[in-house]
Amino acid sequence: MTPHSLAFYVHTVTTGTVLGARPTDSADRVAAVLGTDFAEDATGRRTMFRDYGLAEFHFHRDRAGGPWTGHHFSLQVHRLALGPVGLPGPVLRERYGRFAPRLRFEKLRGLLHRRGVPLVEIPEYAANTPHYRTFWQPASQTAVTFVAVRGEYSTPAALRPGDVYGITSPVTADEVAMRSARA
């Protein structure tokens, strides 16, 4: 793992942003930050996402033809173990350099801990148990999910226990409470 790409992950978890792009930003604002090299997919007339390789930003709108507003973003870290070297996207590669194919959860957690940024384990969705575990950073409302137990059909073959699967923001206190109530 390069020090620069680790800095990217630490900054994202600490701030809940991708290069300053917030999960609630408009599609135009995200494109201004991450560029126009993305794949776009709309599911119906009111939801859309833009895939920048490593980062995906999801948008919603109240009505067809209305303005898109940001809903959340996710870093599809698991793709690095499968994808080409250019997967993070040109803007992230230019800023942070090479990204290793795996991000170890304990490495990320240790770096965050040394900076005084706590991660708190939250209950996992029943469908993901016992294969995944999720930790939450309350101030940034960012969640980090990693492979806890390998599962032949439940986890990507290229990932090992301890590898980060993804990073998502926002994960609100209400969602954490909902997960806790179901646990």
Side-chain angles (χ1 to χ4, degrees):
M1 183 68 53
T2 66
H4 298 292
S5 61
L6 280 170
F8 166 71
Y9 294 123
V10 167
H11 184 266
T12 297
V13 173
T14 301
T15 66
T17 68
V18 176
L19 298 179
R22 297 181 317 257
T24 55
D25 282 343
S26 70
D28 289 341
R29 164 79 173 113
V30 173
V33 173
L34 292 177
T36 57
D37 188 8
F38 56 80
E40 184 175 285
D41 190 14
T43 52
R45 295 180 180 188
R46 296 180 32 186
T47 61
M48 181 254 300
F49 76 91
R50 288 186 174 169
D51 183 346
Y52 289 88
L54 178 61
E56 286 184 357
F57 276 78
H58 296 254
F59 306 91
H60 290 209
R61 60 185 175 186
D62 292 336
R63 64 192 183 315
W68 293 108
T69 57
H71 184 266
H72 72 279
F73 73 77
S74 58
L75 298 181
Q76 303 294 327
V77 180
H78 62 96
R79 290 180 181 169
L80 293 169
L82 304 171
V85 173
L87 177 71
V91 173
L92 289 178
R93 268 194 339 273
E94 183 178 312
R95 175 95 179 258
Y96 290 99
R98 185 182 64 81
F99 282 70
R102 289 180 187 82
L103 170 61
R104 301 296 292 168
F105 175 73
E106 287 303 326
K107 178 75 170 179
L108 177 61
R109 185 180 191 184
L111 290 169
L112 290 164
H113 178 75
R114 284 196 292 276
R115 288 165 177 76
V117 180
L119 290 176
V120 179
E121 187 163 16
I122 60 175
E124 190 55 64
Y125 292 112
N128 292 341
T129 303
H131 300 101
Y132 295 93
R133 290 174 63 192
T134 298
F135 283 72
W136 182 56
Q137 205 305 301
S140 69
Q141 296 187 335
T142 303
V144 179
T145 300
F146 70 95
V147 175
V149 176
R150 178 98 177 81
E152 184 177 359
Y153 301 107
S154 302
T155 60
L159 295 185
R160 307 174 303 230
D163 287 342
V164 172
Y165 180 82
I167 298 171
T168 305
S169 185
V171 174
T172 65
D174 288 343
E175 183 177 338
V176 171
M178 178 190 68
R179 285 181 175 210
S180 297
R182 290 182 179 172

